[in-house]
Amino acid sequence: MCDARLWRGAVAALTVPVLYMCGSEDTLCPPERHRKWAQITPDAQFTEIPGAGHMLPLEAPQDFAETLKTWLNNNKEEFA
């Protein structure tokens, strides 16, 4: 399900900034897969949250919120 090969065409066609964020301990969709997605997605950023698993908003709410807030502020012109 988290295989970048299955989504390569779709993510390569994106025309908006993308944030891939995952926990370093995510076993359902590991950081390596998020990195691959970010590599094939134009204008993508990858952020890994140390010590968190698959449920970032529950496991690391402060890190999740701060990362998302910073990314949104850095890309606000794209979404205006």
Side-chain angles (χ1 to χ4, degrees):
M1 185 70 164
C2 289
D3 190 338
R5 293 173 295 173
L6 299 175
W7 301 96
R8 183 176 300 275
V11 297
L14 292 172
T15 60
V16 295
V18 175
L19 172 63
Y20 291 102
M21 186 179 358
C22 74
S24 63
E25 307 303 314
D26 189 340
T27 57
L28 293 175
C29 196
E32 304 80 45
R33 292 199 179 144
H34 283 83
R35 279 189 202 91
K36 287 180 186 177
W37 287 356
Q39 289 172 351
I40 62 173
T41 306
D43 200 11
Q45 176 184 326
F46 169 74
T47 301
E48 185 174 331
I49 305 297
H54 190 69
M55 300 295 291
L56 286 178
L58 298 176
E59 296 176 41
Q62 190 65 36
D63 291 334
F64 175 82
E66 196 58 42
T67 300
L68 183 57
K69 179 181 168 182
T70 299
W71 182 82
L72 286 169
N73 282 332
N74 290 340
N75 291 283
K76 59 186 167 191
E77 292 82 26
E78 295 289 333
F79 299 108

